[in-house]
């Protein structure tokens, strides 16, 4: 059982983590300037007709660049293998294989249904401690706050996106109105 002193000492750290979940603050790197890590985590998103959507494709491009530059040895593809839009894991894995990433360099998590689960599975099921997180700017900082809350040593890598203005607006609204408050709640309640 933690002492009263250790609980008081952890309150400021928890408040910083909650604020990070809300604001998405923290450093973010372009793939060419990113530090090295054993694994990059690529977060899934909508796929259509067996092809990655524009958000997913941007994430895959950034992870491929990290792999080709030798910044990571392996790529963990995490998302929903049974999603209504299709199997994110199969689509993402095929995309990377078609571009020359060896199958032995790929890890897959088909039950990463949200950012929190993807990070927790990376830690608990894959035994990862140091990773690069790959996503668009509005998502990757929140992902980093969650991963740090879970005890992972992470750096955020910004992925591009050939998205329409409508997609950007919809995803930014979702991020700021729903996802960041949910992340702060997850961190606050020690999910």
């Amino acid at each position: 059982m933690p002492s009263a002193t250790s609980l008081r000492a952890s309150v400021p750290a928890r408040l910083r983590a909650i604020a990070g979940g809300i604001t998405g603050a923290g450093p973010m790197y372009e793939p060419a300037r990113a530090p090295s890590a054993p694994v990059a985590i690529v977060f899934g998103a909508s796929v259509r007709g067996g092809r990655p959507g524009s958000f997913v494709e941007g994430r895959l491009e950034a992870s491929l660049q990290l792999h080709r530059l030798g910044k990571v040895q392996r790529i963990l593809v995490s998302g929903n293998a049974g999603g209504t839009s299709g199997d994110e894991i199969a689509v993402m894995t095929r995309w990377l294989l078609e571009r020359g990433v060896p199958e032995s360099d790929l890890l897959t998590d088909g039950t990463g249904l949200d950012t929190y689960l993807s990070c927790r599975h990376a830690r608990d099921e894959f035994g990862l401690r140091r990773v690069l997180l790959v996503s668009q700017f509005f998502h990757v900082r929140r992902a980093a706050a969650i991963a740090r809350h879970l005890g992972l040593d992470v750096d955020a890598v910004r992925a591009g996106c050939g998205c329409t203005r409508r997609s950007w607006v919809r995803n930014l609204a979702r991020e700021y109105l729903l996802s960041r408050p949910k992340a702060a709640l997850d961190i606050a309640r020690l999910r």
Side-chain angles (χ1 to χ4, degrees):
M1 179 109 183
S3 70
T5 304
S6 68
L7 286 175
R8 277 192 301 276
S10 67
V11 170
R14 279 194 58 212
L15 290 174
R16 281 193 301 277
I18 292 167
I22 294 170
T23 64
M28 182 172 43
Y29 299 92
E30 296 297 323
R33 296 188 180 274
S36 296
V39 176
I41 300 175
V42 181
F43 298 96
S46 182
V47 295
R48 301 256 185 255
R51 297 183 44 93
S54 53
F55 286 99
V56 175
E57 192 159 28
R59 296 169 190 179
L60 291 168
E61 288 281 356
S63 69
L64 180 62
Q65 187 177 359
L66 290 167
H67 190 267
R68 286 180 174 165
L69 290 169
K71 303 276 184 170
V72 297
Q73 291 80 46
R74 301 182 90 186
I75 299 170
L76 170 57
V77 175
S78 185
N80 189 350
T84 57
S85 71
D87 184 341
E88 294 172 9
I89 302 306
V91 170
M92 294 166 69
T93 300
R94 184 175 57 248
W95 191 97
L96 290 164
L97 290 170
E98 288 172 354
R99 283 150 185 85
V101 177
E103 190 171 351
S104 61
D105 289 356
L106 295 176
L107 302 168
T108 59
D109 173 16
T111 58
L113 304 180
D114 65 15
T115 303
Y116 186 93
L117 288 174
S118 292
C119 293
R120 192 176 79 194
H121 293 168
R123 182 194 70 189
D124 296 346
E125 295 177 21
F126 294 93
L128 301 177
R129 296 293 171 248
R130 167 86 181 120
V131 295
L132 298 181
L133 304 178
V134 182
S135 192
Q136 282 72 29
F137 76 92
F138 55 83
H139 174 230
V140 76
R141 285 185 170 149
R142 171 175 54 90
I146 291 169
R148 288 183 186 115
H149 160 70
L150 291 168
L152 293 170
D153 176 15
V154 302
D155 282 301
V157 178
R158 180 182 182 150
C161 183
C163 308
T164 65
R165 182 176 297 206
R166 181 178 178 191
S167 291
W168 273 114
V169 169
R170 184 177 64 242
N171 279 280
L172 285 171
R174 177 181 174 266
E175 179 69 20
Y176 290 101
L177 298 175
L178 301 173
S179 298
R180 290 198 181 178
K182 179 183 179 294
L185 182 61
D186 286 344
I187 292 168
R189 66 183 175 136
L190 301 176
R191 176 180 173 198

